[in-house]
Amino acid sequence: MKLFNPFATLPTYNPIALLSITGIITHPNFKLSDTPDLSGKVAVVTGGQAGIGREITAQLLLHGITKVYILARTESKYNDAKEEWAGKNGLKKDDVETRTEFVQCDLSSIKDVSRAANELLSKLDRLDILINNAALPTIPDYILSPDGIETIFATNHVGHFTLTNILLPLIERAAASAGDARIVNTTSSLHMSCQELDLSQLTSPTRTKYPASFDSSWRYGRSKLANILFTRDLAHRLQKKGIANVYVNCFFPGNIPTDAMDTWKQLFGKVVGKLFKGIFQVIGQSPTDGAATAMFLATSKDVETGDVKGKYFVPIASENKTSPIAEDKDLAKNLWYWTDHQVTEVLGKGWQDVGEHVDTRGAGAEQGDAQ
């Protein structure tokens, strides 16, 4: 039996560097006040109604974004978020109603992601910013998605892979007309908990690690590793296509005590779970800290001038190292082929080309509606 080595995937043994990688020590390299004016731009944010996504959406609105489409499973949290954006952030309620729109989407279902993506294709002819932020947290139960893929992986990786590829023609079109476009993927320092990515295990009917608390955390880390591999391979593929002005990067928002941390109570018991969350309320980051890195990657001119692509960032807007396995180009390529095969099994051949053949509304009409 292969023994688990908790240090095998660390990119460094330097304790100060590790504290930075895990977000305990932060380097403030970007301020939200440095965000440029986003007037005329259109964004899609998955999970933009809750957690760090709610703050990212708030910052997009505060900096003049013309329209934000928020993809999530249920509309109730979106309605709650609208009240918060209009109250806490000083935005007008009518303005929030006009500049945001909810699109129902279950990221664990390939068919539902395709339906939501096609709904967006019918509304837009360009997309400036795509932030793949939504994530299923650590859950104790082992469940397969509607397509027979482990649910955390299906939601956090496969759903975003499908959405991004269908919307890619809109993103490329925005880059051609506006000069650049951005794809930002939310990942985690917990990717370092995954020392291997056995693609055959992703459709296993039962868990492969024990105990359940370790298995759940490991499965979450596995999905976050996939986010990084996807980021790097997509950046490479766009470069090969000759598309130099679509900037794809990923980031760890930090140790933010959101509702997602409440799942730790199920994994480790109420006392331990509450203790962990309490610790991060003291030493962790705030939602605005987490949003700052996302806003840097989604909007800052420094990304363009520095030709920043396929990189991993930690709080706040600091490029950093990943685990060695997250830099494996062959693994990234194999993951792409595996994921594409899973989606093809559900949607059929040519699924990723649908955006190139859809008659879409003019961007001017969409922006006029938003104003």
Side-chain angles (χ1 to χ4, degrees):
M1 175 183 290
K2 184 179 179 181
L3 295 176
F4 176 73
N5 177 3
F7 304 105
T9 59
L10 295 180
T12 178
Y13 294 117
N14 183 314
I16 302 299
L18 286 174
L19 289 173
S20 175
I21 290 170
T22 56
I24 295 174
I25 293 178
T26 61
H27 305 281
N29 293 324
F30 179 79
K31 295 182 293 185
L32 287 169
S33 58
D34 294 331
T35 305
D37 178 45
L38 302 177
S39 300
K41 293 187 179 294
V42 178
V44 169
V45 183
T46 67
Q49 83 299 346
I52 181 62
R54 181 179 289 200
E55 186 61 35
I56 290 170
T57 302
Q59 293 301 325
L60 290 170
L61 291 169
L62 286 167
H63 290 90
I65 197 82
T66 292
K67 194 82 171 185
V68 188
Y69 292 89
I70 294 164
L71 272 61
R73 284 181 297 179
T74 57
E75 197 168 359
S76 59
K77 286 187 178 180
Y78 165 66
N79 291 328
D80 291 342
K82 285 191 294 183
E83 295 294 326
E84 180 180 305
W85 296 325
K88 176 183 173 184
N89 295 300
L91 298 162
K92 294 182 179 179
K93 188 172 183 180
D94 290 346
D95 183 39
V96 170
E97 288 281 359
T98 301
R99 292 197 288 140
T100 64
E101 185 172 327
F102 176 80
V103 177
Q104 192 281 328
C105 180
D106 178 359
L107 282 165
S108 73
S109 166
I110 292 171
K111 283 185 178 179
D112 203 51
V113 173
S114 175
R115 178 203 53 75
N118 277 278
E119 183 177 337
L120 289 169
L121 290 175
S122 73
K123 297 173 183 288
L124 298 169
D125 79 341
R126 55 176 282 176
L127 177 59
D128 300 275
I129 300 168
L130 172 61
I131 301 179
N132 291 318
N133 168 76
L136 194 64
T138 53
I139 54 174
D141 295 332
Y142 187 91
I143 306 168
L144 295 184
S145 76
D147 307 302
I149 303 166
E150 190 275 312
T151 300
I152 294 177
F153 198 87
T155 302
N156 298 358
H157 167 66
V158 179
H160 285 125
F161 176 95
T162 307
L163 179 70
T164 302
N165 276 284
I166 293 177
L167 296 181
L168 200 54
L170 296 182
I171 296 167
E172 293 175 2
R173 207 170 301 164
S177 62
D180 77 301
R182 311 291 176 92
I183 300 173
V184 181
N185 298 320
T186 304
T187 182
S188 171
S189 62
L190 280 177
H191 78 273
M192 288 184 283
S193 68
C194 184
Q195 298 180 13
E196 61 178 355
L197 183 55
D198 184 342
L199 301 177
S200 67
Q201 291 182 348
L202 298 172
T203 53
S204 171
T206 58
R207 70 174 79 250
T208 57
K209 306 286 184 183
Y210 295 90
S213 57
F214 170 73
D215 174 68
S216 178
S217 300
W218 176 79
R219 283 185 284 126
Y220 177 79
R222 178 173 67 177
S223 73
K224 297 289 100 180
L225 169 63
N227 293 154
I228 300 172
L229 293 168
F230 170 53
T231 297
R232 289 180 165 155
D233 204 39
L234 177 58
H236 173 69
R237 287 168 180 268
L238 287 169
Q239 199 74 30
K240 279 188 70 175
K241 283 175 65 177
I243 300 171
N245 53 354
V246 175
Y247 298 89
V248 188
N249 293 286
C250 60
F251 79 107
F252 166 47
N255 304 298
I256 304 169
T258 62
D259 292 344
M261 280 192 179
D262 291 336
T263 59
W264 291 356
K265 296 176 185 177
Q266 302 175 52
L267 293 174
F268 306 109
K270 290 184 179 180
V271 174
V272 175
K274 189 175 181 179
L275 177 62
F276 279 171
K277 189 172 183 179
I279 289 172
F280 286 122
Q281 285 173 336
V282 176
I283 68 171
Q285 284 73 44
S286 68
T288 51
D289 290 336
T293 306
M295 293 298 289
F296 168 77
L297 294 173
T299 70
S300 176
K301 278 291 182 184
D302 290 346
V303 172
E304 184 180 352
T305 56
D307 197 32
V308 180
K309 297 171 182 172
K311 303 299 184 181
Y312 170 73
F313 284 75
V314 300
I316 297 170
S318 298
E319 184 181 337
N320 218 309
K321 295 180 179 180
T322 62
S323 64
I325 191 174
E327 298 179 0
D328 189 329
K329 294 179 180 179
D330 289 335
L331 180 60
K333 187 185 299 184
N334 290 339
L335 174 63
W336 184 288
Y337 291 144
W338 179 91
T339 312
D340 180 63
H341 175 74
Q342 302 304 312
V343 182
T344 301
E345 287 287 295
V346 177
L347 301 180
K349 292 183 178 179
W351 65 270
Q352 64 271 62
D353 301 323
V354 64
E356 298 177 0
H357 309 294
V358 173
D359 289 331
T360 54
R361 290 174 53 194
E366 180 61 56
Q367 293 169 10
D369 290 347
Q371 294 168 350

